[in-house]
Every structure is written in structure tokens, then in C-alpha cells.
Amino acid sequence: MPELDPATTALLTVECQNGVVGEVSALPELAKEARDSGMLDRVAALVDAARGAGVQVVHAVAERRPDGLGANTNARLFRAAGRLPVRQLTGSEAVRVAAPITVDGRDLVVRRLHGLSPMAGTDLDALLRNLGVRTLVVTGVSSNIAIPNTVFDAVNLGYEVVVPSDAIAGVPASCTAEVIRNSLALVAAVTTAEALVERWAALR
């Protein structure tokens, strides 16, 4: 496990937004899993603990322009997203960070209009490097696609990555455990939300 020095560590929430994991979600099965598993509550606790320890919090949000300009259409997932009843439109309620997770004045919010990962095609990498971040704690959804993409991208860019296994979610629920065991554990340090909260609480 990396040292998790607050000066060089950031906590990233991925797609923890109303239109994905909120009560009015475009993906109700994923939203239900995120809520019923306790993942959302654990991410909220991690965000609070990170702030208390002086760890930078970053929220990665996926959104689309109303006209779809610049969005991907080169995969079934992207084409299906354009037909969903709830769309992640820029400026809409759907792209606001979902409760119980909060956004503080010192938090950074990084928005992307295309792709599968907040590390690709956004200024996230540059922001983290400007902050001196070397270790990235990745939370959120989904363990099917966005979380693995984020972890792999971050590792490829040279970051130490930590994944709290109970602070990510996907569907079916069994997918998360399999992805962690067979993929993420090979490239990231796997821990729990409780262990991180305790570690950061000791630094307050």
C-alpha cells in the first residue's frame, strides 16, 4: 500500500452523478446496486475523511452537449446512451454529484464530453501533476467499464493507484469482485473504505 501522504494523494470519484447513481438515473440497475450495496455512503465517508486529512478531492463527471457534438458514437454503449430517457446533459441536474456525496469549495470537478475514462481527453492528469499528486484513490462506477479504464490510464501515466474494493460498484454485483480479483489487483493496491477512513482520521 502506498503511504497516502495527503500532500501527494488525491481521492477521485468517478461518475457519482445524479443521472448515473442518483434516484432519477438513466441506469436504474446500476443506481440500485450503488445505493443498496452501501457504495455511495462509503464514497461520501471517504470524501469527508479525505478533506479532513487534507487530501485533494476530485469529482469526475461524464456529460454530453445537447447536440451531442464531440461525443463518441463508435461503440454500442455510446449509441445506447443517446437513446436513454435520462441524458447526462451539460448543466442539467443529471450531471450534479449525487447525494450523500458532497462537493466542497476546494474540490475539483472535471468534466468530459467523450470517451470511457476521466484520465483521457480531459485536464485531469495536468491538474493532478500541478498539485504534486502521485497517488490516486479511485472510487465510483462502474466496475464494468469506467473504473478499470481509469485505473489502467492512471497506471500508464505513472500514478500509484489505490482502489477501495467496497467503494466501487457495477452490475451484476458479482462483476465487481471478479474485476478486482482478475484485473485491478494486478495493477493497483486494493483496500477497503474503512481502512482508508481510519488512516485519514489519524491524520486530522
Side-chain angles (χ1 to χ4, degrees):
M1 173 79 70
E3 288 186 11
L4 297 176
D5 178 356
T8 58
T9 301
L11 172 69
L12 178 68
T13 75
V14 178
E15 294 185 29
C16 291
Q17 58 200 76
N18 286 325
V20 177
V21 295
E23 291 185 5
V24 183
S25 169
L27 304 164
E29 187 180 1
L30 177 59
K32 184 176 189 302
E33 174 61 22
R35 182 175 59 253
D36 293 353
S37 69
M39 185 220 80
L40 279 178
D41 290 327
R42 285 187 283 272
V43 173
L46 281 168
V47 166
D48 290 343
R51 288 193 194 115
V55 172
Q56 180 65 54
V57 176
V58 185
H59 305 281
V61 174
E63 58 183 49
R64 291 170 63 95
R65 287 169 50 110
D67 59 10
L69 195 63
N72 290 72
T73 58
N74 60 331
R76 190 173 120 198
L77 173 68
F78 300 126
R79 294 189 291 272
R83 298 191 296 270
L84 291 172
V86 178
R87 300 178 65 202
Q88 317 298 324
L89 299 182
T90 300
S92 71
E93 188 64 27
V95 298
R96 295 186 187 278
V97 174
I101 302 165
T102 60
V103 180
D104 184 78
R106 280 190 49 81
D107 294 359
L108 294 173
V109 179
V110 175
R111 305 181 183 279
R112 79 176 195 272
L113 291 172
H114 67 89
L116 299 170
S117 162
M119 296 296 297
T122 72
D123 56 1
L124 178 57
D125 180 42
L127 292 173
L128 294 175
R129 291 186 188 280
N130 288 345
L131 290 165
V133 171
R134 301 306 308 145
T135 301
L136 191 62
V137 179
V138 177
T139 67
V141 294
S142 72
S143 59
N144 307 76
I145 295 176
I147 295 299
N149 270 271
T150 303
V151 171
F152 296 148
D153 283 348
V155 170
N156 284 332
L157 289 166
Y159 292 93
E160 295 274 358
V161 179
V162 176
V163 177
S165 60
D166 52 357
I168 65 172
V171 289
S174 59
C175 173
T176 301
E178 291 299 320
V179 168
I180 290 170
R181 181 181 306 112
N182 297 307
S183 297
L184 301 186
L186 303 178
V187 297
V190 178
T191 186
T192 65
E194 181 180 15
L196 288 177
V197 167
E198 290 179 354
R199 194 158 181 173
W200 285 333
L203 298 175
R204 285 177 179 266

